[in-house]
Amino acid sequence: MKSKFTLGLTIGATVGGLISLYDAQTRRHVRGSMMRAGSETMFYLRNPGVFVDDVKTSYAKVATSLSTTADKGLRGVEEVQHALQKVSKLDDQLELPAGNQTKKLAGAGSAR
């Protein structure tokens, strides 16, 4: 079953790609992209040290971005936790000890 799915997906992508190349502007764009990719590949093959440095730099940027995002997320969770604690304290202050009834706030039941 999986092999048929993969085969169908591959054939569909190939046919779709070939149909899209019918348009001249698309052909020019694809040709230009392939030429750039080829020249970048040749550059990195001739300068493997630059490739390693670029990979390290990209990794550092992604790691920093993930770390920053995680820190922001944790701060958000802490803020929500703090707000829930405040609401819980407020709820405790509004409860009456006898009968488990809550106090009415000023003007809460006076809609006319």
Side-chain angles (χ1 to χ4, degrees):
M1 182 83 155
K2 280 186 177 180
S3 64
K4 288 182 181 179
F5 174 75
T6 305
L7 178 63
L9 189 64
T10 304
I11 291 171
T14 303
V15 170
L18 291 173
I19 291 172
S20 70
L21 289 176
Y22 179 72
D23 180 46
Q25 184 178 1
T26 303
R27 283 195 306 272
R28 282 192 300 275
H29 176 75
V30 170
R31 187 179 309 123
S33 295
M34 297 298 279
M35 296 292 285
R36 280 191 301 278
S39 61
E40 285 182 24
T41 301
M42 291 304 295
F43 173 79
Y44 284 128
L45 286 174
R46 292 182 184 136
N47 303 291
V50 175
F51 176 73
V52 171
D53 289 341
D54 287 352
V55 169
K56 286 180 182 178
T57 302
S58 295
Y59 175 79
K61 286 180 183 178
V62 169
T64 301
S65 176
L66 288 175
S67 176
T68 302
T69 302
D71 287 343
K72 287 179 181 178
L74 287 174
R75 279 196 299 271
V77 169
E78 289 171 355
E79 289 175 9
V80 168
Q81 182 181 15
H82 184 67
L84 288 174
Q85 287 172 348
K86 283 183 176 180
V87 168
S88 178
K89 286 179 185 178
L90 181 61
D91 187 42
D92 291 343
Q93 292 173 358
L94 292 176
E95 287 185 14
L96 290 174
N100 291 331
Q101 296 177 357
T102 58
K103 295 180 184 176
K104 287 188 178 181
L105 297 175
S110 60
R112 294 182 205 193

